[in-house]
Amino acid sequence: MHISDGILDTGIVMAANVVSVGVIYLTGRNVKPEEIPKIGMTGAALFVASLIHFPMAGTSLHLGLFGIAGIILGKRAFPAIFTAILFQALIFQHGGLVTVGINSLNMGAGAYAAWLIWRTEALPEYLRSALAGFVGIIIPALLMSLEFQLSGYGRGIFYLFSIYIFAALIEGAVSFSAVRFFRKVKPELLI
Amino acid sequence: MKHSFLDKYGHLNSPLHRIDARIKLLSAFAFILIIVSEPRGVLFPFIYYSMVIAVLVRVSNVPGRFILSRCLIVSPFILLAAVFYPLSSMITGDFGGLPAYQAEYRIALSIILKAFSAVIILTLLVSTDKFHNLLQGLRKLRMPRLLGIISALMYRYIFILTDEALKTRMARESRTPGKLNINKFKVYGNQSAMIFIRSMDRSQIIYNSMLSKGFTGEFPGMQKTAISGRDVAFFIFFISILLVIRLTNTGQFCFNI
């Protein structure tokens, strides 16, 4: 799900870098000292979660956990996601150095959408948790499709990204199960 | 514990290893930016870029086999994106005839060249210094303070959490062998939640111990070393070469590529 350097139009990528700096400022303002370890460790968990692979259509996908990051951190998920993506780019070359901004905005939008759903108390918790996991993947996939199309790829790219529906369904199931686990073991994590 | 995915060759000694991390970060970013800003479909300058990359690889002492393995790992994503450039317009019936088809394949090739060049540069960046030096370099380059603290914390926990993830993965695989089914998702969920919970608990303990030792968000151990004149000279020379390649089309008139 990470976009490598050289794939997208450079103008879009650089504009995203500028926007991501603004988003870091907005989402990182007035952070309380007690929030810092939570943000840092969610970032580390996002990084490590990428090592958990599951088989899918002859290949393997890894967990994103952006929905869970949104549930746990709310708007503070963005700095954690940005740092995790920077680490993944530097350590594994997943994604790129110049594309850290656009990748973070994509995944961050997923986490933010998950947070908004999680806060909708009209829905039962099991549904909110599953939907949060689902949108945590599907929103980044939709944004990526849009960015690919803006970069000159044809409309067919939307077919390619439709495979993420399955990944999003799996992530929804994982998120539902994880939130149930949190509720039992450490409910104070759920904001 | 030692994880080989992190700065495996950072301990080597080469002219590239001796360059200040800040200069390396800026050079890598500039190099990638110059390469990706080449107009799509332009192939000729990549002969020069590949020469520059080959020299850097040779000077770095990082094994070519390692760099190749890193390229192979990310190659499915890059090749898929490149192949889909011409393919996506064909799928939807927006096919513009043979000339357009050829142009699109040229663009696909330039995407492949850009992406793999960037992967090699990134691999060289992280293989020619210790990872914590690169993080320190980012902080010295005025990375936002919050990101500096988060990255410092993340670096401390990645090793522990990776071990936890590998252990829980082994436990999961031994409990749920075979095909993917609904029970497996429950285990994936529990495993992810367990990683989060363990990470939170550990983070709180370590952060409290950092606070008790006087941590205020600053990094007093970070030496304010000045960048040497030799490193600055390298940066200017390196960027000048790249800009000459980028801004001129030296030799292109001889070849129709």
Side-chain angles (χ1 to χ4, degrees):
Chain A
M1 208 168 204
H2 305 264
I3 303 169
S4 301
D5 288 321
I7 305 282
L8 293 183
D9 179 79
T10 312
I12 294 172
V13 169
M14 291 312 288
N17 281 333
V18 173
V19 172
S20 69
V21 171
V23 176
I24 287 169
Y25 172 74
L26 287 174
T27 55
R29 266 190 317 181
N30 307 321
V31 173
K32 294 177 192 131
E34 60 268 25
E35 286 180 282
I36 289 175
K38 200 173 167 185
I39 299 170
M41 286 310 108
T42 304
L46 287 176
F47 176 86
V48 173
S50 67
L51 300 172
I52 303 174
H53 288 253
F54 51 86
M56 163 72 82
T59 177
S60 73
L61 295 174
H62 67 76
L63 291 175
L65 302 188
F66 305 116
I68 294 178
I71 289 171
I72 290 177
L73 291 180
K75 69 172 184 176
R76 306 284 192 223
F78 189 76
I81 288 172
F82 186 95
T83 317
I85 284 173
L86 178 67
F87 270 50
Q88 283 171 347
L90 287 173
I91 295 170
F92 297 129
Q93 291 79 52
H94 289 177
L97 192 59
V98 178
T99 52
V100 167
I102 200 157
N103 283 328
S104 306
L105 287 176
N106 290 343
M107 319 299 175
Y112 195 77
W115 181 50
L116 291 179
I117 286 173
W118 179 247
R119 291 176 63 186
T120 313
E121 293 190 355
L123 298 171
E125 186 173 282
Y126 73 90
L127 191 58
R128 282 185 284 148
S129 58
L131 277 175
F134 183 81
V135 300
I137 295 297
I138 212 70
I139 297 281
L142 283 172
L143 288 173
M144 278 169 63
S145 309
L146 196 65
E147 289 147 10
F148 270 73
Q149 210 189 1
L150 287 173
S151 298
Y153 287 74
R155 286 176 295 142
I157 201 76
F158 282 96
Y159 293 103
L160 178 66
F161 282 105
S162 61
I163 62 161
Y164 279 104
I165 291 172
F166 298 106
L169 286 170
I170 290 172
E171 191 92 10
V174 168
S175 173
F176 162 74
S177 182
V179 167
R180 261 181 45 156
F181 194 84
F182 285 142
R183 186 59 73 199
K184 267 194 277 185
V185 178
K186 207 171 174 72
E188 64 270 25
L189 269 180
L190 302 169
I191 54 174
Chain B
M1 68 221 76
K2 175 72 182 168
H3 290 285
S4 61
F5 62 75
L6 208 66
D7 56 27
K8 189 177 179 183
Y9 296 102
H11 64 281
L12 295 179
N13 188 16
S14 79
L16 283 190
H17 284 78
R18 289 192 286 274
I19 294 172
D20 189 284
R22 287 166 286 184
I23 294 289
K24 268 188 283 210
L25 282 160
L26 289 173
S27 303
F29 189 85
F31 195 177
I32 294 173
L33 191 58
I34 286 171
I35 283 178
V36 300
S37 69
E38 283 285 356
R40 285 196 166 161
V42 171
L43 303 176
F44 187 81
F46 285 92
I47 293 173
Y48 293 117
Y49 292 133
S50 57
M51 284 178 190
V52 174
I53 289 171
V55 170
L56 291 175
V57 171
R58 183 74 188 87
V59 170
S60 70
N61 291 336
V62 177
R65 186 186 287 264
F66 173 72
I67 293 171
L68 192 66
S69 72
R70 287 303 174 107
C71 288
L72 283 176
I73 289 169
V74 294
S75 60
F77 311 106
I78 294 171
L79 294 177
L80 196 64
V83 166
F84 243 80
Y85 193 86
L87 212 60
S88 56
S89 55
M90 290 169 72
I91 290 172
T92 49
D94 302 331
F95 184 48
L98 194 61
Y101 185 66
Q102 285 171 339
E104 287 190 346
Y105 265 91
R106 220 180 140 84
I107 291 173
L109 188 56
S110 73
I111 288 172
I112 290 172
L113 289 170
K114 285 179 184 184
F116 278 114
S117 302
V119 170
I120 296 171
I121 295 162
L122 260 180
T123 309
L124 277 178
L125 171 68
V126 82
S127 303
T128 53
D129 216 327
K130 295 279 182 194
F131 192 68
H132 64 86
N133 284 343
L134 292 175
L135 290 181
Q136 215 169 66
L138 282 170
R139 285 195 289 269
K140 285 177 183 172
L141 288 169
R142 307 289 168 127
M143 176 193 227
R145 188 171 164 273
L146 179 62
L147 293 189
I149 298 171
I150 294 173
S151 61
L153 287 172
M154 270 183 70
Y155 180 67
R156 280 160 179 75
Y157 282 97
I158 275 177
F159 299 101
I160 299 166
L161 289 180
T162 304
D163 274 357
E164 293 287 355
L166 293 176
K167 277 181 202 162
T168 49
R169 188 172 73 181
M170 197 180 290
R172 185 205 70 220
E173 281 170 359
S174 59
R175 282 202 302 275
T176 55
K179 289 182 179 175
L180 201 65
N181 56 43
I182 195 70
N183 289 331
K184 264 197 171 174
F185 295 131
K186 189 180 167 192
V187 181
Y188 280 123
N190 289 353
Q191 185 186 356
S192 311
M194 184 54 75
I195 289 173
F196 263 91
I197 288 171
R198 287 186 181 179
S199 65
M200 293 302 164
D201 289 346
R202 283 166 188 251
S203 71
Q204 203 58 58
I205 293 164
I206 295 292
Y207 190 69
N208 288 344
S209 74
M210 284 166 77
L211 289 179
S212 69
K213 288 171 189 159
F215 180 68
T216 57
E218 303 301 324
F219 296 88
M222 199 165 76
Q223 296 158 354
K224 288 182 178 169
T225 48
I227 299 172
S228 72
R230 196 187 58 178
D231 288 349
V232 173
F234 163 81
F235 182 72
I236 293 169
F237 177 69
F238 184 64
I239 298 301
S240 303
I241 290 175
L242 296 175
L243 285 175
V244 167
I245 299 171
R246 175 68 183 84
L247 300 174
T248 64
N249 52 0
T250 317
Q252 188 159 8
F253 59 89
C254 300
F255 309 93
N256 186 27
I257 54 173

